[in-house]
Amino acid sequence: MLICLKMTGQCFLAILFLLFLTGSLSAQTAPEIEQRLRVTTSYQEKQGMTYQLARLLFFSDPAQAARYAEQALKLSVQLHDQVKEAESAWLAADLAERAGHLPAAVSFYTQARAAAVQTNLPNLPLQAVEKLQTITAKQGNYKAAYQWTQEYNLLLQAKYQAQINEQNSVQTTTQATWINQRERERYILFIVLSGLAIAMVFFFYHRQRTNRRMRGEMAEKNAMIEEKRRRSEQLLLNILPSAVAAELTVRNKVAARRYEHATVMFIDFVSFTRLAEQLPPEALVAELDYCFSAFDQLISRKRIEKIKTVGDAYICASGLSDRNESPSEIIKVALQIQQFLQKLREKREKEGKPYFEARIGIHFGPVVAGIVGTKKFAYDIWGDTVNTAARMEEACLPGFVNVSGAARVIVETEFEWEYRGKIAAKNKGELEMYYATAR
């Protein structure tokens, strides 16, 4: 009987060892766990990860595995977790024994036995004592080996007695069950009816729970759909004016519209080609993005529509709705843009870096706005007002805001003006032009 129980213990030990190596390991590799171990501050997590690393490295790097097992053991003691202490001590003892460090193995097995006695690990004390018996015999410490043999026999007898008690308990229970069987038969009909009633209650409960879950899933899907719709609308609003985006959403197309009181502004950087030769492409694009993003923020405060950018040119317009039909707001924004570029120039000069200067042209008049094409469509404006605004920009000096006579008449009292006279413009003849400054 003792031999059989010993073989059973050894089989259990082998199974436990395989479970240590495969049972609870995730797909994580040792380097991944070590990376997590370096950043965690939780003792609980540190204990779990060091123990897991010891098992992962059991065969591939026993020395490192032993170090991790000892760390796991120390952390288990600090956490006062006797189950983990027993498991970590057993793993450390097994590694020490395989490495030939028998005194350390004896110490760890003894600690594993002591911790396991206080837990619900009934087989571990017996296995630890068996290991201690074998190792002390190898060391020639026959007195200790004899003492461990005596304890092993006591533990084995206790285990055998527990099995006997369990068998007796099972027999007693079986007998009591047999005795009470007749009495239970009297209530079998009641039990069956009760079972049917419970089944019906469970069925209706499960049905209601399923319905609630389905409603919850449906609500979640609807919320996801609504979020996607909101994002799509937001993306469309970043591309098109709100009224145009609404019309495109409803009708899937946009009719061109004429606006009689539109103000168009052209912004173009000076000597862009020269700067492009001085700056790497990435730096050039980053500088353009920085400037254009600042322009976007300034015009968005005044409800001015950005039309497009063409290379280093930036085009926007106001009056494309029932609001902002006066050139006043767009001229103010133009002056703010020149102030922004002036401050940026001073900063870049201190840094010894190239900088942008811009010409700005503004004209007031009718335009037609809409979308053309069906693919990669973009909102755009057309008309003589657009061409004249471009000529205003071409005839402007860097750092100034050049305003046409038509725009200046409407906001004459709101700004200071420098009359430039009539200046020849390409394909337009002579046009009255004014430099605007803040009053």
Side-chain angles (χ1 to χ4, degrees):
M1 179 63 71
L2 292 176
I3 295 173
C4 292
L5 289 173
K6 181 179 288 189
M7 290 177 66
T8 302
Q10 292 173 346
C11 291
F12 176 80
L13 178 61
I15 294 170
L16 180 64
F17 181 70
L18 289 174
L19 288 173
F20 280 169
L21 294 179
T22 62
S24 62
L25 292 180
S26 67
Q28 290 180 316
T29 63
E32 291 173 341
I33 300 174
E34 289 174 341
Q35 178 65 27
R36 290 174 52 208
L37 179 61
R38 283 192 288 270
V39 299
T40 186
T41 57
S42 168
Y43 283 100
Q44 194 77 22
E45 292 181 359
K46 285 182 179 180
Q47 195 282 332
M49 285 187 280
T50 51
Y51 181 71
Q52 194 174 12
L53 283 167
R55 290 161 56 186
L56 274 172
L57 301 172
F58 192 90
F59 289 114
S60 60
D61 192 350
Q64 184 67 8
R67 287 191 287 271
Y68 279 126
E70 293 179 20
Q71 291 180 27
L73 178 57
K74 291 178 181 178
L75 290 168
S76 300
V77 173
Q78 293 177 9
L79 293 169
H80 305 290
D81 191 331
Q82 291 182 320
V83 172
K84 292 181 179 179
E85 179 184 353
E87 294 173 346
S88 301
W90 177 272
L91 185 57
D94 195 2
L95 287 163
E97 182 183 2
R98 289 170 180 268
H101 304 314
L102 298 184
V106 169
S107 176
F108 289 135
Y109 279 129
T110 304
Q111 188 172 356
R113 168 199 164 278
V117 168
Q118 306 298 324
T119 65
N120 59 347
L121 301 174
N123 292 313
L124 194 56
L126 186 65
Q127 295 158 7
V129 170
E130 183 180 8
K131 284 285 188 178
L132 288 166
Q133 172 189 344
T134 304
I135 294 173
T136 52
K138 285 183 181 180
Q139 291 177 318
N141 189 352
Y142 298 110
K143 180 178 179 181
Y146 175 73
Q147 292 174 346
W148 290 122
T149 301
Q150 287 183 317
E151 183 172 345
Y152 179 82
N153 290 334
L154 291 173
L155 290 172
L156 203 59
Q157 290 175 4
K159 181 178 180 179
Y160 178 68
Q161 186 62 45
Q163 291 176 345
I164 292 175
N165 292 339
E166 185 178 358
Q167 291 177 356
N168 291 336
S169 177
V170 170
Q171 290 177 357
T172 302
T173 303
T174 303
Q175 186 176 6
T177 302
W178 182 80
I179 293 173
N180 294 329
Q181 185 174 358
R182 286 186 175 181
E183 296 181 3
R184 290 204 307 271
E185 288 175 354
R186 298 177 184 176
Y187 304 101
I188 190 167
L189 182 60
F190 172 77
I191 293 172
V192 170
L193 293 175
S194 299
L196 289 173
I198 292 171
M200 291 180 66
V201 170
F202 177 79
F203 170 76
F204 285 111
Y205 169 76
H206 179 72
R207 184 176 178 180
Q208 291 295 325
R209 185 177 180 182
T210 302
N211 290 339
R212 286 196 300 271
R213 185 177 69 252
M214 291 177 65
R215 287 195 295 269
E217 291 174 355
M218 185 64 68
E220 184 177 353
K221 289 179 180 179
N222 289 338
M224 291 175 62
I225 292 171
E226 178 62 23
E227 177 64 17
K228 289 181 180 179
R229 185 194 63 78
R230 187 190 64 78
R231 290 182 181 179
S232 299
E233 289 183 353
Q234 187 62 41
L235 180 61
L236 202 58
L237 289 174
N238 286 338
I239 301 172
L240 305 172
S242 57
V244 176
E247 183 179 353
L248 183 64
T249 302
V250 174
R251 300 177 55 193
N252 203 28
K253 62 180 181 179
V254 177
R257 292 185 59 185
R258 180 182 177 87
Y259 298 94
E260 297 294 340
H261 304 101
T263 307
V264 181
M265 177 167 66
F266 269 72
I267 306 172
D268 191 41
F269 289 123
V270 180
S271 304
F272 182 77
T273 304
R274 177 179 57 81
L275 288 173
E277 295 173 353
Q278 297 178 15
L279 293 172
E282 295 81 1
L284 182 66
V285 174
E287 190 72 3
L288 272 177
D289 178 68
Y290 178 71
C291 292
F292 284 173
S293 296
F295 298 171
D296 290 343
Q297 291 181 4
L298 289 171
I299 69 171
S300 64
R301 298 170 187 169
K302 303 297 183 180
R303 297 189 297 274
I304 300 169
E305 294 294 342
K306 176 181 178 180
I307 304 302
K308 60 184 175 180
T309 60
V310 182
D312 61 319
Y314 186 100
I315 307 169
C316 60
S318 64
L320 303 183
S321 64
D322 295 334
R323 303 174 182 177
N324 291 354
E325 292 190 343
S326 169
S328 176
E329 297 294 347
I330 206 166
I331 294 174
K332 291 178 182 178
V333 169
L335 295 173
Q336 291 172 2
I337 288 174
Q338 290 293 20
Q339 290 175 2
F340 164 78
L341 291 175
Q342 178 61 31
K343 292 180 180 178
L344 183 61
R345 172 184 175 176
E346 294 171 358
K347 179 181 178 182
R348 293 290 186 261
E349 285 180 335
K350 290 179 182 179
E351 296 172 348
K353 296 180 180 179
Y355 54 85
F356 285 135
E357 289 184 296
R359 298 188 299 262
I360 300 180
I362 297 174
H363 182 54
F364 175 83
V367 298
V368 174
I371 296 174
V372 293
T374 58
K375 292 186 177 180
K376 296 185 178 179
F377 53 80
Y379 188 69
D380 208 345
I381 54 177
W382 299 270
D384 185 66
T385 301
V386 179
N387 298 331
T388 304
R391 299 296 175 258
M392 290 293 117
E393 175 269 315
E394 291 172 357
C396 183
L397 290 176
F400 287 86
V401 177
N402 194 27
V403 181
S404 69
R408 183 238 179 208
V409 169
I410 300 174
V411 291
E412 182 176 1
T413 61
E414 297 185 39
F415 302 93
E416 296 289 344
W417 303 98
E418 178 186 341
Y419 181 56
R420 302 181 62 198
K422 290 186 177 182
I423 299 176
K426 181 179 179 182
N427 298 327
K428 299 296 295 181
E430 292 185 345
L431 300 174
E432 286 191 337
M433 300 185 188
Y434 298 82
Y435 282 146
T437 55
R439 184 177 287 274

